[in-house]
Amino acid sequence: MSHRKFRWGIIGCGLIAPRFTQDLFDTGEGTVVAAASRSSQRAQHFQKITGVPNVYTSYQTMLEQEKLDAVYIATTHNFHAENARLCLEHNLPVLIEKAFTQNARQAEEIITLARQKNLFMMEAMWTRFCPAALRVQQLLAEQAIGDLQQFHADFCVRMSPFSKKMMPWNRMYSPRLAGGALLDIGIYPIAYSRMIFGQQPTTITSSAQKSWSGIDTTSRYHFTYPSGAESIMKSSFTTAGSRDARIIGSTGRILIPSLHSADQLILKQHHQPDQHIACGTPSFQYQIKEVHHCLQNNLTESTRMPLDETLQTMQLLDTLRQQWNLTYPGD
Ligand SMILES: NC(=O)c1ccc[n+]([C@@H]2O[C@H](COP(=O)([O-])OP(=O)(O)OC[C@H]3O[C@@H](n4cnc5c(N)ncnc54)[C@H](OP(=O)(O)O)[C@@H]3O)[C@@H](O)[C@H]2O)c1
C-alpha cells in the first residue's frame, strides 16, 4: 500500500543531521521538511548543504508551525530527553539518536510519557537494522556456529579534543554534554551483545581511563550470561585501534570487519572452507523504513528495537558509569 511521503523535522543541526536527511531522501518514502537549531549559523549552514525548505532557531516554533509526521532528535545525549518531551507534548512521534538519553531515569520518564500519549518512539540504533546484523541473527538462529560462547568487539576511533569537525570543541570530552566513549561508541558493541544474547548479562565488570575533563576516553566491559557465555568489549577515542568483532560458537566463528558499518561477514565453520558473505551497504535507510512501517501500521513501538530493551541498555550504561564513579551534571 503506498503512502504519501512522510514529513520529517530535525532537532539539532550538527554533524549527523545531514546524513539522516540524505538517507531519508534515498528511501523515497519521506523528506525532511524542516530543521531547527539553537544557532542561526548552524541552521543556515544546514539549509545550505541540504536544501531543506525551512529552518528555525527555536525547536518549539518548528513544532508549532510545521505539519510533521515525525521528528529526528540529533542533539547531544544530555538534551535528548528534554527534546523528546517537547515533541511528545506536541503529539509527535520521535526517533532519538543513541545514546537514547544520558541515564536510565530520563529514559524511563520519556518512555512512560510516550506510552501514556500512545505515540511512537524508538532509539536510533541504526546498526540493528542493517543487512549484516540481520544476516548475523539468521546465522545464529540456524545454529551455523553451534552454541554461542563468546562475543568480542572493539570500537576505537582516534579523535582530537580539538577536532575541527566539532564545534566549538569535541563534545565527546564534555561531561555537561554527556560525552565519553561509553555513550558515544561503546554503546554499539553493548547493544550488539544484547542483540545476539537476547538478555541482560548476569555479571558486569569494567574499567575506564578518564580524561582531564572527567569522561571516559577508553573503557572496557566484560559481561557474562547465564549459559556461561561472555562478551568482551572495548571502546576508545584515544587510539586508532580495532573496530572489528567476532562471535565464537561451539562449532565455528563469525568475523565482522568494522562492526558498526559492516558490509560483509566471514563465516568460519569447523572443517569447512571460509565463506565470505557480502551484505548490503550499511545506511540509516533501514531504520527509517522501520519507523515508516510502524507509523503506517499505527504501532507505537518497534518490535525490532523495543523500548524496554533500550531502557535496559541505559540501565547497563548507568551500572558501568557507577563502577567508574562517573556522573554527568543533571544525573
Ligand atoms: N548514528 C551515528 O553514526 C552517529 C554518528 C554520530 C553521532 N550520532 C549521535 O547523534 C547525536 C548527535 O551527534 P553529532 O555528532 O551530530 O553532534 P554535534 O554535531 O556535536 O551536535 C549536535 C547538536 O547538539 C547541540 N550541541 C552540540 N554541541 C553543543 C554545545 N556545546 N552546547 C549546546 N548544544 C550543543 C547542537 O544543537 P543545535 O544545532 O540545536 O544548537 C548541535 O547541532 C548524538 O546522540 C550522537 O551519539 C550518531
Side-chain angles (χ1 to χ4, degrees), residues 124-140:
M125 183 45 72
W126 66 287
T127 46
R128 168 77 49 107
F129 301 96
C130 289
L134 297 188
R135 194 75 182 94
V136 164
Q137 290 177 80
Q138 239 172 21
L139 290 169
L140 295 179

mmCIF file of all heavy atoms in Angstrom, residues 124-140:
data_model
loop_
_atom_site.group_PDB
_atom_site.id
_atom_site.type_symbol
_atom_site.label_atom_id
_atom_site.label_comp_id
_atom_site.label_asym_id
_atom_site.label_seq_id
_atom_site.Cartn_x
_atom_site.Cartn_y
_atom_site.Cartn_z
ATOM 1 N N ALA A 124 17.488 5.347 17.857
ATOM 2 C CA ALA A 124 18.063 5.233 16.515
ATOM 3 C C ALA A 124 19.309 4.339 16.527
ATOM 4 O O ALA A 124 20.404 4.770 16.153
ATOM 5 C CB ALA A 124 18.386 6.620 15.966
ATOM 6 N N MET A 125 19.121 3.082 16.953
ATOM 7 C CA MET A 125 20.240 2.128 16.929
ATOM 8 C C MET A 125 20.280 1.533 15.523
ATOM 9 O O MET A 125 19.875 0.402 15.265
ATOM 10 C CB MET A 125 20.027 1.071 18.027
ATOM 11 C CG MET A 125 21.133 0.063 18.157
ATOM 12 S SD MET A 125 22.798 0.729 18.127
ATOM 13 C CE MET A 125 22.904 1.536 19.720
ATOM 14 N N TRP A 126 20.784 2.348 14.577
ATOM 15 C CA TRP A 126 20.641 2.050 13.145
ATOM 16 C C TRP A 126 21.298 0.749 12.731
ATOM 17 O O TRP A 126 20.831 0.066 11.826
ATOM 18 C CB TRP A 126 21.194 3.223 12.327
ATOM 19 C CG TRP A 126 22.677 3.434 12.468
ATOM 20 C CD1 TRP A 126 23.322 3.946 13.550
ATOM 21 C CD2 TRP A 126 23.677 3.130 11.501
ATOM 22 N NE1 TRP A 126 24.671 3.985 13.321
ATOM 23 C CE2 TRP A 126 24.921 3.495 12.057
ATOM 24 C CE3 TRP A 126 23.659 2.596 10.208
ATOM 25 C CZ2 TRP A 126 26.135 3.334 11.387
ATOM 26 C CZ3 TRP A 126 24.867 2.444 9.537
ATOM 27 C CH2 TRP A 126 26.078 2.808 10.120
ATOM 28 N N THR A 127 22.398 0.361 13.423
ATOM 29 C CA THR A 127 23.134 -0.856 13.042
ATOM 30 C C THR A 127 22.251 -2.100 13.174
ATOM 31 O O THR A 127 22.429 -3.064 12.437
ATOM 32 C CB THR A 127 24.367 -1.019 13.939
ATOM 33 O OG1 THR A 127 23.959 -0.804 15.286
ATOM 34 C CG2 THR A 127 25.437 -0.016 13.607
ATOM 35 N N ARG A 128 21.316 -2.058 14.088
ATOM 36 C CA ARG A 128 20.403 -3.185 14.326
ATOM 37 C C ARG A 128 19.635 -3.586 13.068
ATOM 38 O O ARG A 128 19.260 -4.732 12.890
ATOM 39 C CB ARG A 128 19.433 -2.761 15.447
ATOM 40 C CG ARG A 128 18.232 -3.618 15.696
ATOM 41 C CD ARG A 128 18.543 -4.864 16.450
ATOM 42 N NE ARG A 128 19.341 -4.639 17.635
ATOM 43 C CZ ARG A 128 18.896 -4.717 18.886
ATOM 44 N NH1 ARG A 128 17.641 -5.001 19.098
ATOM 45 N NH2 ARG A 128 19.699 -4.524 19.914
ATOM 46 N N PHE A 129 19.380 -2.571 12.209
ATOM 47 C CA PHE A 129 18.511 -2.787 11.049
ATOM 48 C C PHE A 129 19.296 -3.039 9.756
ATOM 49 O O PHE A 129 18.704 -3.282 8.718
ATOM 50 C CB PHE A 129 17.595 -1.570 10.861
ATOM 51 C CG PHE A 129 16.732 -1.316 12.074
ATOM 52 C CD1 PHE A 129 17.105 -0.389 13.040
ATOM 53 C CD2 PHE A 129 15.566 -2.040 12.275
ATOM 54 C CE1 PHE A 129 16.335 -0.171 14.169
ATOM 55 C CE2 PHE A 129 14.779 -1.836 13.394
ATOM 56 C CZ PHE A 129 15.167 -0.897 14.355
ATOM 57 N N CYS A 130 20.629 -2.947 9.841
ATOM 58 C CA CYS A 130 21.442 -3.083 8.619
ATOM 59 C C CYS A 130 21.541 -4.554 8.204
ATOM 60 O O CYS A 130 21.433 -5.456 9.030
ATOM 61 C CB CYS A 130 22.833 -2.497 8.847
ATOM 62 S SG CYS A 130 22.778 -0.709 8.947
ATOM 63 N N PRO A 131 21.771 -4.801 6.894
ATOM 64 C CA PRO A 131 21.773 -6.178 6.385
ATOM 65 C C PRO A 131 22.753 -7.107 7.120
ATOM 66 O O PRO A 131 22.426 -8.269 7.362
ATOM 67 C CB PRO A 131 22.176 -6.007 4.920
ATOM 68 C CG PRO A 131 21.780 -4.622 4.576
ATOM 69 C CD PRO A 131 21.933 -3.806 5.810
ATOM 70 N N ALA A 132 23.935 -6.620 7.493
ATOM 71 C CA ALA A 132 24.917 -7.505 8.139
ATOM 72 C C ALA A 132 24.381 -8.003 9.487
ATOM 73 O O ALA A 132 24.554 -9.176 9.837
ATOM 74 C CB ALA A 132 26.242 -6.769 8.331
ATOM 75 N N ALA A 133 23.724 -7.118 10.239
ATOM 76 C CA ALA A 133 23.182 -7.523 11.548
ATOM 77 C C ALA A 133 22.048 -8.534 11.360
ATOM 78 O O ALA A 133 21.926 -9.497 12.132
ATOM 79 C CB ALA A 133 22.687 -6.300 12.309
ATOM 80 N N LEU A 134 21.254 -8.337 10.317
ATOM 81 C CA LEU A 134 20.164 -9.287 10.049
ATOM 82 C C LEU A 134 20.729 -10.657 9.689
ATOM 83 O O LEU A 134 20.244 -11.695 10.144
ATOM 84 C CB LEU A 134 19.265 -8.786 8.909
ATOM 85 C CG LEU A 134 18.514 -7.489 9.146
ATOM 86 C CD1 LEU A 134 17.535 -7.223 8.025
ATOM 87 C CD2 LEU A 134 17.762 -7.528 10.481
ATOM 88 N N ARG A 135 21.802 -10.645 8.881
ATOM 89 C CA ARG A 135 22.421 -11.917 8.460
ATOM 90 C C ARG A 135 23.023 -12.633 9.674
ATOM 91 O O ARG A 135 22.923 -13.855 9.786
ATOM 92 C CB ARG A 135 23.503 -11.622 7.408
ATOM 93 C CG ARG A 135 23.987 -12.815 6.668
ATOM 94 C CD ARG A 135 22.972 -13.303 5.609
ATOM 95 N NE ARG A 135 23.467 -14.506 4.929
ATOM 96 C CZ ARG A 135 23.172 -15.753 5.282
ATOM 97 N NH1 ARG A 135 22.347 -15.989 6.283
ATOM 98 N NH2 ARG A 135 23.685 -16.776 4.625
ATOM 99 N N VAL A 136 23.640 -11.871 10.575
ATOM 100 C CA VAL A 136 24.203 -12.477 11.795
ATOM 101 C C VAL A 136 23.094 -13.155 12.588
ATOM 102 O O VAL A 136 23.233 -14.302 13.041
ATOM 103 C CB VAL A 136 24.924 -11.415 12.659
ATOM 104 C CG1 VAL A 136 25.160 -11.908 14.077
ATOM 105 C CG2 VAL A 136 26.246 -11.007 12.017
ATOM 106 N N GLN A 137 21.972 -12.464 12.744
ATOM 107 C CA GLN A 137 20.863 -13.041 13.520
ATOM 108 C C GLN A 137 20.359 -14.334 12.875
ATOM 109 O O GLN A 137 20.060 -15.304 13.559
ATOM 110 C CB GLN A 137 19.731 -12.027 13.641
ATOM 111 C CG GLN A 137 20.109 -10.863 14.561
ATOM 112 C CD GLN A 137 19.008 -9.815 14.619
ATOM 113 O OE1 GLN A 137 18.030 -9.964 15.315
ATOM 114 N NE2 GLN A 137 19.163 -8.767 13.853
ATOM 115 N N GLN A 138 20.315 -14.316 11.530
ATOM 116 C CA GLN A 138 19.874 -15.511 10.793
ATOM 117 C C GLN A 138 20.834 -16.678 11.033
ATOM 118 O O GLN A 138 20.411 -17.790 11.339
ATOM 119 C CB GLN A 138 19.922 -15.192 9.302
ATOM 120 C CG GLN A 138 18.631 -15.312 8.576
ATOM 121 C CD GLN A 138 18.828 -14.767 7.153
ATOM 122 O OE1 GLN A 138 19.938 -14.680 6.621
ATOM 123 N NE2 GLN A 138 17.723 -14.388 6.557
ATOM 124 N N LEU A 139 22.144 -16.387 10.901
ATOM 125 C CA LEU A 139 23.151 -17.448 11.072
ATOM 126 C C LEU A 139 23.081 -18.042 12.480
ATOM 127 O O LEU A 139 23.184 -19.256 12.655
ATOM 128 C CB LEU A 139 24.564 -16.893 10.805
ATOM 129 C CG LEU A 139 24.877 -16.545 9.350
ATOM 130 C CD1 LEU A 139 26.187 -15.765 9.239
ATOM 131 C CD2 LEU A 139 24.954 -17.818 8.483
ATOM 132 N N LEU A 140 22.873 -17.179 13.465
ATOM 133 C CA LEU A 140 22.800 -17.683 14.848
ATOM 134 C C LEU A 140 21.544 -18.537 15.032
ATOM 135 O O LEU A 140 21.589 -19.594 15.663
ATOM 136 C CB LEU A 140 22.821 -16.522 15.849
ATOM 137 C CG LEU A 140 24.117 -15.692 15.879
ATOM 138 C CD1 LEU A 140 24.007 -14.568 16.890
ATOM 139 C CD2 LEU A 140 25.333 -16.556 16.178
#
